């Protein structure tokens, strides 16, 4: 793999993600391993919506089990003959979970949005650094840039993952490994089914295009989708809290 040719193989963490599967329609790959918590559901989905990739392997994997990460990476390495790209698309929104969430609901959101992905990416980064090359794409969210009262559990977990990915990108900067941090706004996908789209709502295709562009970059990048959310959230983060409460409203 070079920046010019792009990756030929990929491991997807959260392989049944709408954004991830759309991305795989846009990046020309030879082989992919999809790691999903419900392999049967993913097999059924791919039978109806096949990927344009020669070799697709599905692995059962739960992001919440830290002992599963290294065996998954070893299997993916063997199946793929080397991992060029890792796309981390694990997450769950909790549909407005905030003050009414129980401690166990809160723990589940923290684990699926922060602890699970961050522990998996820890193992991924060690593997890629040892090989001296590879690209990691982390799906963060603008929800992590400033927590909203309606979903601060998801937002705070994404803030943790975002900070983790930034530190990881810096720590591997000299190693040949790149870490691209993708911060979409509201994306129409199964995660947001039934929710009213937020301003600047975007599509899985737009996020996929941003990821496909980023993986060709020779440097680690932070990408907002749509792009306007970057400058907009620079302003949002500086708003006094009472103003932010009104801007965020109850959404
Ligand atoms: N949609 C949005 O508005 C939006 C905006 C910003 C960022 N993002 C982020 O983008 C990523 C992809 O989201 P999406 O829109 O494609 O939604 P999605 O289709 O629901 O994808 C999320 C994936 O995470 C998987 N997952 C959750 N917990 C897991 C676990 N413990 N182990 C393994 N896999 C697990 C889900 O598995 P199942 O398929 O089995 O449920 C699902 O495939 C997420 O990180 C999300 O937070 C989404």
């Amino acid at each position: 793999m070079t920046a010019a040719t792009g990756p030929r193989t990929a491991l997807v963490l959260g392989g049944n993600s709408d954004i991830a599967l759309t991305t795989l329609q846009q990046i020309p790959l030879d082989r992919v391993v999809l790691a999903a918590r419900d392999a049967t559901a993913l097999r059924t989905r791919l039978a109806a919506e096949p990927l344009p990739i020669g070799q697709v392997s599905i692995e059962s994997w739960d992001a919440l089990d830290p002992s599963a990460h290294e065996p998954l990476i070893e299997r993916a390495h063997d199946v793929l003959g080397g991992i060029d790209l890792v796309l981390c698309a694990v997450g769950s929104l909790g549909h407005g979970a905030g003050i009414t969430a129980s401690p166990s609901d809160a723990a589940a959101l923290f684990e699926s949005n922060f602890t699970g992905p961050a522990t998996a990416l820890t193992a991924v980064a060690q593997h890629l650094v040892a090989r001296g090359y590879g690209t990691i794409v982390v799906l963060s969210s603008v929800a992590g840039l400033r927590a909203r009262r309606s979903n601060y559990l998801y937002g705070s977990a994404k803030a943790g993952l975002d900070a983790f990915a930034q530190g990881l990108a810096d720590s591997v900067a000299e190693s040949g490994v790149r870490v691209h941090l993708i911060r979409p706004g509201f994306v129409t996908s199964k995660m947001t089914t039934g929710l009213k789209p937020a301003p600047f709502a975007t599509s899985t295709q737009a996020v996929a295009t941003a990821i496909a562009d980023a993986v060709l970059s020779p440097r680690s990048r932070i990408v907002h989708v749509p792009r306007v959310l970057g400058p907009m959230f620079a302003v949002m983060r500086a708003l006094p809290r009472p103003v932010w409460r009104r801007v965020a409203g109850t959404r």
Side-chain angles (χ1 to χ4, degrees):
M1 182 192 78
T2 66
T5 59
R8 305 308 308 173
T9 66
L11 165 64
V12 180
L13 305 173
N16 195 26
S17 144
D18 284 0
I19 291 175
L21 291 175
T22 307
T23 300
L24 294 176
Q25 302 278 352
Q26 294 200 20
I27 300 179
L29 294 166
D30 298 327
R31 297 178 296 285
V32 65
V33 170
L34 304 173
R37 61 180 168 180
D38 188 342
T40 307
L42 180 53
R43 254 182 222 107
T44 305
R45 179 175 184 177
L46 290 183
E49 306 164 29
L51 289 169
I53 296 173
Q55 184 187 318
V56 178
S57 308
I58 297 175
E59 294 283 342
S60 280
W61 169 79
D62 189 339
L64 274 45
D65 176 6
S67 71
H69 303 334
E70 284 169 338
L72 170 71
I73 292 161
E74 280 162 26
R75 275 197 305 280
H77 173 80
D78 291 345
V79 168
L80 297 171
I83 304 171
D84 291 344
L85 170 68
V86 177
L87 170 59
C88 180
V90 175
S92 58
L93 188 58
H95 291 284
I99 193 66
T100 57
S102 68
S104 52
D105 289 343
L109 280 175
F110 297 149
E111 285 167 13
S112 58
N113 290 300
F114 177 41
T115 322
T119 53
L121 290 170
T122 296
V124 162
Q126 285 165 2
H127 175 87
L128 295 183
V129 166
R131 302 198 68 228
Y133 76 92
T135 299
I136 299 172
V137 174
V138 183
L139 276 156
S140 176
S141 170
V142 295
L145 296 180
R146 188 151 194 190
R148 302 196 307 272
R149 65 174 117 177
S150 64
N151 80 340
Y152 60 89
L153 298 177
Y154 174 79
S156 62
K158 282 294 193 190
L161 184 65
D162 198 285
F164 168 89
Q166 290 182 57
L168 179 63
D170 288 340
S171 86
V172 301
E174 316 298 329
S175 72
V177 176
R178 288 161 285 169
V179 181
H180 303 305
L181 185 49
I182 312 296
R183 294 175 178 159
F186 185 105
V187 183
T188 304
S189 75
K190 73 177 149 66
M191 177 173 277
T192 53
T193 300
L195 298 181
K196 188 175 164 215
F200 303 99
T202 191
S203 63
T204 56
Q205 286 82 4
V207 181
T209 301
I211 295 172
D213 284 352
V215 299
L216 295 176
S217 165
R219 282 183 305 281
S220 293
R221 285 173 53 188
I222 296 178
V223 180
H224 299 85
V225 190
R227 235 184 257 180
V228 67
L229 292 180
M232 192 175 283
F233 267 82
V235 174
M236 299 284 199
R237 294 177 79 173
L239 291 176
R241 182 162 288 139
V243 178
W244 172 242
R245 276 202 294 275
R246 280 203 299 282
V247 170
T250 54
R251 60 168 314 110

